Amino acid sequence: MLLAIDTSAGTSVAVLNTNVLAMATFDDPFGHAENVGIAIAEAMTKAGVTASEITAVAIGRGPAPYTGLRVGMAAGLAFAQARGIPTYGVMVLDAVAHSMSTPKLLLHADAKRKEVFVAGYESGVRTFGPAVMQPEELESFAGYEKVQAVCDASMVGLFTLDQLAKGADLNDLSALYLRSPDVSPSPGKRVSG
Amino acid sequence: MDFRGLTVDDLSSVMELESSVFVSDAWSSESMRSEIESPNNFYLGLFEDGLIGYAGLSTIPGSFSSDIQTIAVSSAARGRGIGRALMQELLRKAKAQGSEQVLLEVRIDNEVAISLYASLGFERIDVRKRYYQPDNVDAVIMRLRITQPLVLGIESTCDETGVGIVRGNRLLANALHSSMDEHSKYGGVVPEVAARAHLEAIAPTLNKALAEAGVQMKDIDAIAVANGPGLAGALMVGIGAAKGLALANDKPIYAVNHLIGHVGADVLERGYVQLPTIALLVSGGHTSLLLVRDLLGDAVLLGETIDDAAGEAFDKVARVLGLPYPGGPQIDKLAATGDPKAIRFPRGLSLPKDMEKHRYDFSFSGLKTAVARYVEKAEADGETINPADVAASFREAVVDVLLTKALNACAEFGVDRLLLGGGVVANARLREVAQQRCEAAGIELRIPRFSLCTDNGAMIASLGAQLVMSGHAPSSLGFGAESTLEVTVVQSP
């Protein structure tokens, strides 16, 4: 039984065996810290499972706005650690692409600060990204169907099951920020003169 | 029927009942007075048209053990479960105080009482021969063991990822990961850098704490997490992790106040925190002066910084002097050879006019600017400064204003205790002057060990444990990060 957690957009949690048994979603683009616990509890209740029946956790690693992303990742990592079960990390645009069947697909998602997170796929295989760029730069991808990606936990869960079945490595659990913290060393400023 | 704590004002009605119940071996009025007055004791009365029963509990602070001193029920009120009700209230109190056992002695011929105690879980552990005089009757010593809750606490309000584990008021683990080094090139804590570091550190720090305490996650009875005040993005990592842990093992979760956690840290040092106390919490993020009468229900913010935190001022002045981050230890080292009276830097918000509006508030921004001006002017005039004197004089100004206001608060509120907390407590001069001034003023100074003064998970676990022991309901699953959480909110609902 897989518990999938994604806070790349709103807050969503799904419980899956081979299919999605239940999902709890809060669309609020903020409120991840408030909602993540309720969503986990609700998804398990709807699926009729207890925490002890969960055998693995999948988390969305982004790219996504950082503050919310970390909440779901922290919750998933802690849940898995507390139960002594494996955690799998999923690049969320891959999960969205997996849910679609577009031959040439360019997924983009809001990266804040007037930028977008982008990944390109051909026949389901990622050929570009994930990267962060200006929205105008999307124009240069001719022939791709451009879709705004909104990930949720069912996509993360289904992609995880698919990848595990194929023997893929989902062990990277680091957050995909794609940008350095927005800060630079300051020399300090004079107060007089 | 009405329970209420007894005071010496109740002495005459207590003595009336005492001499009617314990005819031959009643306590004297003087003994009873000192019993009721002792700060270590809790005497509870039950009233119904006057006093119909009372009982007393004694807990020597730091002993983790309580004693039932006495229990009496008027003969007219017996057979109604009053003795049991009084005992249950005392046991509740003992548990809330962190006691791990409760002891009592009872006349061996008092079978009714012995069976009451046995039904409450007390076990017979010893007999004292001819304990009750003049009747020459043996005493049975009985003991109730209390298993206090095992609580895991998470701290992520600023740049320290802390996971602590306590059992009741005992410290079992205090694991910490600091991202301080990552902030050094920026000269101060960068919220996004701190939040990223928390996410990376949380799992390893959890493991470290569990290993240190020698317990497993499934053994944990409750999870506590600091949900404010602090940096929102940093807090949310801790909150996410805490909720994940709680749900994984279906455990209650307590969202607690970081600043009250600092005050409660002394519990882990000696098993209890003596109250009321004035608490001065000084770090890179806070400079707060609190009056705490009850850790879980009565804390008042007397004042706080209106601009920079004291620790921040140390960092900024260090930079002016060309010293690396964090500035506190650097300035402390440099100041050791300097003259604290060489330069008279301003004491913020200490003028008579400030005493009305900002009596207990602090301001360090002007002080930092004054130091910078001093250094820049010397440079412009082509003079060389003595950095040790600047450091010592700056440090003296900070320490002076912190302690002047803290001791004023002690005097004004009639509280003869001062507790220090926060990372700036590492400052040697602050500790030294605090000791001198407190000694001169007859004030008891408490400074927990440094690892409990800086931000840490153990103090969060401890505050959570106190809420559990006192029977507070857990927080709901829907709480969030509260960057500006007020000290009056010990636990978020």
Side-chain angles (χ1 to χ4, degrees), chain A residues 33 70 81 83 179 186 192, chain B residues 196 207 243 248 319 376:
Chain A
R70 281 188 287 259
Q81 194 175 353
R83 295 231 58 88
R179 279 187 300 228
S186 123
S192 52
Chain B
R196 289 185 182 194
N207 275 336
K243 290 182 178 178
R319 209 157 168 179
E376 287 169 16

Side-chain angles (χ1 to χ4, degrees), chain A residues 33-34 37-38 40-41 51 66-67 70-71 74-75 78-79 81-83 175 177 179 181 183-186 188 190-192, chain B residues 185-186 192-193 195-196 199 203 206-207 217 236-237 240-241 243-245 247-249 319 372-373 376 379 477-480:
Chain A
E34 288 84 349
I38 299 171
I40 295 172
Y66 310 150
T67 306
R70 281 188 287 259
V71 174
F79 187 102
Q81 194 175 353
R83 295 231 58 88
Y177 296 113
R179 279 187 300 228
V183 60
S184 51
S186 123
R190 294 178 60 86
V191 298
S192 52
Chain B
K185 66 179 163 194
Y186 307 113
E192 175 62 19
V193 173
R196 289 185 182 194
L199 182 63
L206 264 168
N207 275 336
M217 203 54 229
M236 287 184 205
V237 177
K243 290 182 178 178
L245 290 181
L247 285 159
N249 286 305
R319 209 157 168 179
R373 269 188 214 287
E376 287 169 16
E379 270 170 20
L477 260 185
F479 67 85

Side-chain angles (χ1 to χ4, degrees), chain B residues 2-281:
Chain B
D2 228 5
F3 282 115
R4 115 172 126 67
L6 297 176
T7 69
V8 283
D9 295 340
D10 302 302
L11 187 61
S12 61
S13 38
V14 170
M15 282 314 296
E16 202 177 307
L17 199 50
E18 173 79 10
S19 45
S20 78
V21 173
F22 305 103
V23 183
S24 56
D25 53 0
W27 289 349
S28 68
S29 182
E30 293 74 50
S31 303
M32 188 61 84
R33 170 185 283 273
S34 68
E35 271 290 301
I36 293 174
E37 276 181 334
S38 166
N40 295 341
N41 292 357
F42 171 67
Y43 269 77
L44 183 70
L46 186 57
F47 293 82
E48 185 184 71
D49 303 328
L51 186 69
I52 57 167
Y54 60 85
L57 182 82
S58 173
T59 309
I60 294 169
S63 69
F64 297 92
S65 181
S66 294
D67 290 278
I68 304 289
Q69 300 292 84
T70 185
I71 178 165
V73 177
S74 80
S75 55
R78 287 189 196 156
R80 292 166 46 192
I82 288 170
R84 174 179 295 271
L86 282 166
M87 281 296 291
Q88 281 167 335
E89 287 301 311
L90 294 194
L91 295 180
R92 214 188 311 272
K93 180 81 177 175
K95 179 160 195 202
Q97 287 178 326
S99 291
E100 293 167 356
Q101 62 172 11
V102 180
L103 295 163
L104 61 79
E105 65 256 358
V106 55
R107 283 172 70 115
I108 202 164
D109 57 3
N110 190 346
E111 284 166 22
V112 176
I114 291 174
S115 72
L116 165 66
Y117 302 144
S119 74
L120 288 166
F122 281 84
E123 289 170 329
R124 189 173 164 142
I125 55 168
D126 201 6
V127 174
R128 269 185 213 144
K129 291 288 177 197
R130 295 175 290 283
Y131 183 82
Y132 295 99
Q133 294 299 336
D135 296 359
N136 217 27
V137 172
D138 295 350
V140 176
I141 313 295
M142 301 183 82
R143 176 176 63 197
L144 173 74
R145 287 186 187 278
I146 299 175
T147 303
Q148 293 288 11
L150 191 61
V151 180
L152 182 146
I154 298 180
E155 154 67 34
S156 70
T157 60
C158 190
D159 60 343
E160 319 272 5
T161 313
V163 179
I165 299 174
V166 301
R167 165 128 12 232
N169 287 346
R170 285 190 200 269
L171 174 63
L172 300 185
N174 192 10
L176 195 73
H177 178 274
S178 175
S179 62
M180 192 194 283
D181 293 347
E182 296 173 51
H183 303 283
S184 63
K185 66 179 163 194
Y186 307 113
V189 173
V190 180
E192 175 62 19
V193 173
R196 289 185 182 194
H198 284 306
L199 182 63
E200 283 170 32
I202 191 76
T205 312
L206 264 168
N207 275 336
K208 201 171 147 196
L210 290 166
E212 203 176 305
V215 299
Q216 292 185 305
M217 203 54 229
K218 65 175 172 53
D219 305 325
I220 302 287
D221 295 309
I223 307 292
V225 61
N227 74 321
L231 304 170
L235 286 165
M236 287 184 205
V237 177
I239 292 171
K243 290 182 178 178
L245 290 181
L247 285 159
N249 286 305
D250 197 19
K251 300 298 180 192
I253 188 166
Y254 290 78
V256 306
N257 188 309
H258 168 83
L259 283 177
I260 302 298
H262 271 300
V263 181
D266 204 27
V267 167
L268 298 174
E269 203 57 277
R270 54 177 183 180
Y272 67 104
V273 59
Q274 191 92 44
L275 298 171
T277 189
I278 297 291
L280 175 63
L281 308 177

